[in-house]
Amino acid sequence: MSTDAALDVTLVRNATVLATVDETTFLVDPVFAERGALPPIDDTPNKRNNPLVPMPDIDLAHDAVVVTHRHPDHFDEAAVEALDPDVPLFCQPAEADAFVEDGFTDVRPVEGPASFDGVTLRRTPGRHGHGELAEAMGPVSGFVFEGAETLYLAGDTVWYEPVAETLARVEPDAVVLNGGAARFNRDEPITMGVNDVRAVRDATDAAVAVVHMEAINHCLLSREELRAATEDVLVPEDGERIGF
C-alpha cells in the first residue's frame, strides 16, 4: 500500500490505528462495534455505553493485524466477524490460543523479533496501572515497528522505567501513546495522563502522538485538556492521519 511518507499513523477510534511503515499497513487493536453497542466498563465513574463515538468513514485496508492485548476496548467480537480469518495476526504469546479459537489461521505470537514484508516487529513491556491493580489487569504489550523509520506504539501503559528504557534503546522516530487517563472508581489511572505524556515528551526527540481518548467511558482526560497541558504533542481526532 503506497503512501507519501515512510511512516504514518491514522487514528481510527480509541486505540484502533492504522500504522504504515514503509509500504506495509498494520491495523492495530481493532474495535469495530457500533456506537453504544457495548456495555460500560465496570466500576468506573460513569455508565455510558461504549464506544462513545461512531466509527469514522475511512479506508481500513491493511496487510496485517496487531493486537496489544485482548481487553474489550482493544479487540471485540465485531472485529472477529469483520476481519479476514487468514490475515496475519501478531499478538502476545499468552493470548495466541484465544485468537486461534476465534478462527484466525495465521496467528503469530511475538516472542523475539518478528518480520513481515521487510518490517521488523518487537514486543515491548507495559504496565497497565499501578501496584496490585496493574497485576490484576493482566499482561499488556507495546510494539516497535522498524523499517526505514521506527515507530514505538506503547500500548496500554503508564510511564515507568521500562518505557524510558525502550525509548532510550530504540530511539524511535515517532511514538504513539494511549492516553485518556482511564481509571476505575478506585486507584490511579491505568493509561497515560498529562504527567505521563509529559515524561515521554521530555525523554525523546521523536514525534509524540496520543490516542485512546474520548471513546470509552472510563477515559476521563479530554483532548482539549491534554492539548492545553502539553507542548509539542500531537492529539489527533478520529479519522485523522499523521505523516511523520
Side-chain angles (χ1 to χ4, degrees), residues 138-222:
V140 296
S141 297
F143 282 85
V144 170
F145 303 80
E146 297 176 352
E149 296 183 352
T150 299
L151 169 67
Y152 171 33
L153 195 147
D156 271 9
T157 186
V158 295
W159 170 257
Y160 76 132
E161 189 59 32
V163 173
E165 292 170 353
T166 299
L167 290 167
R169 181 180 71 255
V170 172
E171 297 183 342
D173 298 284
V175 179
V176 174
L177 306 175
N178 287 355
R183 66 180 308 149
F184 298 101
N185 287 321
R186 55 191 167 82
D187 300 315
E188 298 176 77
I190 60 174
T191 60
M192 290 197 175
V194 169
N195 289 338
D196 303 90
V197 173
R198 286 174 173 168
V200 173
R201 177 65 286 166
D202 290 343
T204 180
D205 292 330
V208 175
V210 184
V211 300
H212 199 286
M213 304 188 74
E214 299 183 352
I216 302 295
N217 74 294
H218 69 330
C219 292
L220 306 182
L221 176 66
S222 72

Side-chain angles (χ1 to χ4, degrees), residues 65-98:
V65 171
V66 175
V67 179
T68 63
H69 64 298
R70 285 176 60 96
H71 287 176
D73 58 332
H74 291 259
F75 187 76
D76 69 349
E77 187 61 33
V80 174
E81 295 173 358
L83 294 173
D84 182 344
D86 297 327
V87 68
L89 191 154
F90 296 88
C91 65
Q92 303 183 109
E95 296 177 333
D97 288 347

Side-chain angles (χ1 to χ4, degrees), residues 41-59:
I41 304 295
D42 288 337
D43 190 28
T44 53
N46 65 69
K47 296 297 184 183
R48 301 172 65 190
N49 280 5
N50 292 314
L52 305 179
V53 294
M55 285 280 284
D57 184 16
I58 60 174
D59 184 0

Side-chain angles (χ1 to χ4, degrees), residues 16 20 108 123 160 222:
T16 305
T20 299
R108 306 187 187 190
R123 191 165 56 88
Y160 76 132
S222 72

Side-chain angles (χ1 to χ4, degrees), residues 221-234:
L221 176 66
S222 72
R223 289 181 171 104
E224 182 178 356
E225 290 168 331
L226 182 60
R227 289 172 181 141
T230 58
E231 295 181 358
D232 195 22
V233 172
L234 302 166

